[in-house]
Amino acid sequence: MSLPAEFALIARHFRPLAGEGALDLSDDAAVLDIPAGRRLVIAADAMVEGVHYLPGDPPGTVGRKLLRVNLSDLAAMGAAPLGYLMTTSLARGMPEAWLAGFVAGLAEDQRLFGLTLLGGDTTATPGPTSLSLTILGTVEPAKVITRAGARPGDDIWVSGTIGDGALGLRVLQGTLPADTAGHLARRYRLPEPRLALGQALAGLVRAGMDVSDGLVQDLGHLCRAGGCGAVIDAAALPLSDAAGALLAADAGLLPLLLTGGDDYELLLAADPADRAEVTARAAACGMAVARIGRFIAGPAEVSVHAPDGSPLALPRGGWSHF
Amino acid sequence: MSLPAEFALIARHFRPLAGEGALDLSDDAAVLDIPAGRRLVIAADAMVEGVHYLPGDPPGTVGRKLLRVNLSDLAAMGAAPLGYLMTTSLARGMPEAWLAGFVAGLAEDQRLFGLTLLGGDTTATPGPTSLSLTILGTVEPAKVITRAGARPGDDIWVSGTIGDGALGLRVLQGTLPADTAGHLARRYRLPEPRLALGQALAGLVRAGMDVSDGLVQDLGHLCRAGGCGAVIDAAALPLSDAAGALLAADAGLLPLLLTGGDDYELLLAADPADRAEVTARAAACGMAVARIGRFIAGPAEVSVHAPDGSPLALPRGGWSHF
């Protein structure tokens, strides 16, 4: 009895990604031991062709972005990666070379981040390709970072640089000029999950999340969870050279940087007494962190001070799919 | 700052499904304790509108089927349910009433099977609705049922009745007449995950899986994993009254029953010395099980003896999406 094409695809492309507990992807489920004294951390994110990535994006970066946006959720909780499950609804007629490239990207990032495929499902769709990934990690119970915990007076910190992903999307769409080094497009296609930073700051910061839907909107989540407001000082926003050059040429891009999404940096609340420790722990994992404002008493609202000190009006709160 | 529609949808429809560990669906990930002495069992399955369910199917049964096909994977491993994550890529313009019905179905089955929503992602797609669910369960390490372990001479058992789902799909498509009670369509739309049976037989049976892609193809998986062949006696197939009536009217339907898929019954290998114990444990959870053949020494092939004893030629091995 010959196996149908679905199983051949799984054997050829996905089985090499499988690791311990996956039962070679040939069973109904994976079976895993969670190390004693640690909690399971689990999240799921979906990506749809034409919505979350561009049809022309290289398949390797699509796979890597799918894995990385999920890893970013682990980073936000202070967790370490354990493994992942993935369901792929592939557009009918997709060339197998696309799948091979997609899987090669996943394989590269599996090595980089130290996790393996545990299971999933592969099917076809008459619509655009739809991908879903469930990420598993573990954390020490006392060191879970959650969104609740920011207090008035706390500093607002972000890792890395803000706005590159949103600018990179416009570069790829042709509405903004590309930087020579290709930094912005790369940041859109290949976010950097801040796993080491999240684990280093776990137990120290009071609240945290990753910035995926835009800095202002996501900071609003920390405000609602903490029962306080927040003020961002736009002059303190950490920008890449490429983003800084575009903003210098067109100051009207500032709201896009603040609300555009696809940053996948960590957004954190910390006691001002811990400033030196936050910076030191970040430096120990090779990361820059910037203080961009503070939490304040009051309603759960985010206001932004423009570089000239005036209040900045923002056209929209962030990205929504509906 | 008003929240965008995506968050309103999540708050209105999904948050009421959330349980312990889900952090109210408002964090980046769920955090869970796996009870000491048990292993995590995890699987993911996707469903696409028009591929895995019919556009006219009631939304409540779509949600319940999505949950149940995943619960069936837990049943196959001998595991007990713990929770689930779900990503929904909803067709643009889908009426909110559809989502409300979908969620009502999930809520009903959460109560029935004792689990809650832990997390996920909601987005929109220009294509057909694409749903993905990751199921979590736990199992005693010594009692995991896997596909590997069948030996020549072992009995082949199936739970419940075979073929109803495949016939039900044809009934809903209008190519077969409906039974008066609506049994076949209901079996297609609402599979019964055999959770109690899987847990009751764990530690006793030698191998097992759930029948989702067709009895013959899935039995082939047990053969390959066990390094043996199998013979099915078609006369021993357990059929519902509705399936039996259709088969009596058209004996040509037998291959469809054997290969059609959507059964979600358990398919098990057990020592013939354990026949009485298998039947007794099944009866104790209110389930009928049937012996439909045996594993044999030889290549990993499945042969079927027709009711008249002659070998039955099957047109195809099972369902594949490619």
Side-chain angles (χ1 to χ4, degrees), chain A residues 58-74:
Chain A
T61 65
V62 174
R64 298 176 77 183
K65 184 167 184 176
L66 177 66
L67 190 54
R68 286 169 178 228
V69 301
N70 278 282
L71 285 167
S72 184
D73 284 325
L74 291 187

Side-chain angles (χ1 to χ4, degrees), chain A residues 9 20 60 88 218 240 247:
Chain A
L9 275 188
E20 200 183 350
T88 54
D218 286 335
S240 66
L247 185 63

Side-chain angles (χ1 to χ4, degrees), chain A residues 100-153:
Chain A
F102 173 78
V103 163
L106 287 169
E108 189 172 347
D109 271 2
Q110 286 193 183
R111 282 189 296 273
L112 212 52
F113 297 106
L115 75 172
T116 53
L117 180 64
L118 296 172
D121 189 20
T122 301
T123 184
T125 172
T129 291
S130 183
L131 308 162
S132 176
L133 195 143
T134 298
I135 195 91
L136 282 77
T138 65
V139 70
E140 281 179 55
K143 288 194 170 176
V144 181
I145 302 174
T146 71
R147 295 186 181 183
R151 301 177 204 171

Side-chain angles (χ1 to χ4, degrees), chain A residues 7 26-28 30 32-33 39-42 45-46 52 87 121 123 132 134 147 209-210 217 320-321, chain B residues 6-7 26-28 30 32-33 39-42 45-46 52 87 121 123 132 134 147 209-210 217 320-321:
Chain A
F7 294 98
S26 61
D27 235 295
D28 290 289
L32 288 181
D33 251 331
R39 283 214 181 117
L40 177 68
V41 178
I42 187 163
D45 268 315
H52 304 83
T87 63
D121 189 20
T123 184
S132 176
T134 298
R147 295 186 181 183
M209 62 181 300
D210 70 328
Q217 174 170 308
S320 170
H321 294 293
Chain B
E6 181 178 345
F7 294 99
S26 62
D27 234 293
D28 290 290
L32 287 182
D33 251 331
R39 286 219 177 110
L40 177 68
V41 177
I42 187 163
D45 269 313
H52 303 83
T87 64
D121 189 20
T123 184
S132 177
T134 297
R147 294 187 182 184
M209 64 182 297
D210 71 327
Q217 174 170 308
S320 171
H321 294 294

Side-chain angles (χ1 to χ4, degrees), chain B:
Chain B
M1 183 172 51
S2 74
L3 289 173
E6 181 178 345
F7 294 99
L9 275 187
I10 292 170
R12 192 153 55 236
H13 296 292
F14 294 114
R15 195 158 293 158
L17 300 175
E20 199 184 353
L23 301 174
D24 215 19
L25 300 187
S26 62
D27 234 293
D28 290 290
V31 182
L32 287 182
D33 251 331
I34 305 301
R38 292 183 75 86
R39 286 219 177 110
L40 177 68
V41 177
I42 187 163
D45 269 313
M47 285 185 11
V48 178
E49 180 187 345
V51 180
H52 303 83
Y53 65 94
L54 302 170
D57 280 339
T61 65
V62 174
R64 300 175 77 183
K65 184 167 184 175
L66 177 67
L67 190 54
R68 287 168 177 229
V69 301
N70 278 283
L71 286 167
S72 184
D73 285 326
L74 291 187
M77 307 292 289
L82 184 66
Y84 68 103
L85 293 90
M86 185 174 59
T87 64
T88 54
S89 297
L90 303 174
R92 284 191 206 288
M94 164 183 289
E96 196 170 334
W98 191 94
L99 191 59
F102 173 78
V103 163
L106 286 169
E108 187 172 348
D109 271 2
Q110 287 193 182
R111 284 189 296 273
L112 212 51
F113 297 107
L115 76 173
T116 54
L117 180 64
L118 295 171
D121 189 20
T122 300
T123 184
T125 173
T129 291
S130 182
L131 308 163
S132 177
L133 194 143
T134 297
I135 194 93
L136 283 76
T138 65
V139 69
E140 281 180 54
K143 288 193 171 178
V144 182
I145 302 174
T146 71
R147 294 187 182 184
R151 301 177 203 170
D154 278 359
D155 291 326
I156 305 170
W157 294 88
V158 291
S159 63
T161 56
I162 291 295
D164 296 332
L167 296 172
L169 174 58
R170 272 70 181 181
V171 165
L172 288 166
Q173 289 172 330
T175 59
L176 279 177
D179 58 302
T180 352
H183 176 75
L184 298 174
R186 193 164 56 245
R187 288 274 286 161
Y188 171 75
R189 286 175 168 160
L190 273 189
E192 289 291 343
R194 304 304 187 185
L195 287 158
L197 183 66
Q199 292 167 69
L201 295 179
L204 176 67
V205 296
R206 287 199 169 130
M209 64 182 297
D210 71 327
V211 186
S212 57
D213 292 335
L215 177 65
V216 169
Q217 174 170 308
D218 286 334
L219 184 54
H221 292 307
L222 291 192
C223 288
R224 275 181 296 280
C228 54
V231 180
I232 295 175
D233 177 7
L237 272 189
L239 301 181
S240 67
D241 290 348
L246 284 175
L247 185 64
D250 177 4
L253 286 173
L254 181 58
L256 176 64
L257 302 183
L258 288 161
T259 63
D262 268 310
D263 291 297
Y264 299 102
E265 295 293 349
L266 295 188
L267 175 66
L268 303 155
D271 188 332
D274 291 327
R275 278 180 195 169
E277 182 67 15
V278 168
T279 312
R281 290 196 192 183
C285 40
M287 279 299 302
V289 287
R291 262 192 307 122
I292 61 165
R294 64 191 189 287
F295 291 93
I296 56 172
E301 284 169 6
V302 176
S303 50
V304 180
H305 290 171
D308 65 5
S310 64
L312 187 74
L314 294 172
R316 55 198 276 279
W319 172 253
S320 171
H321 294 294
F322 297 93

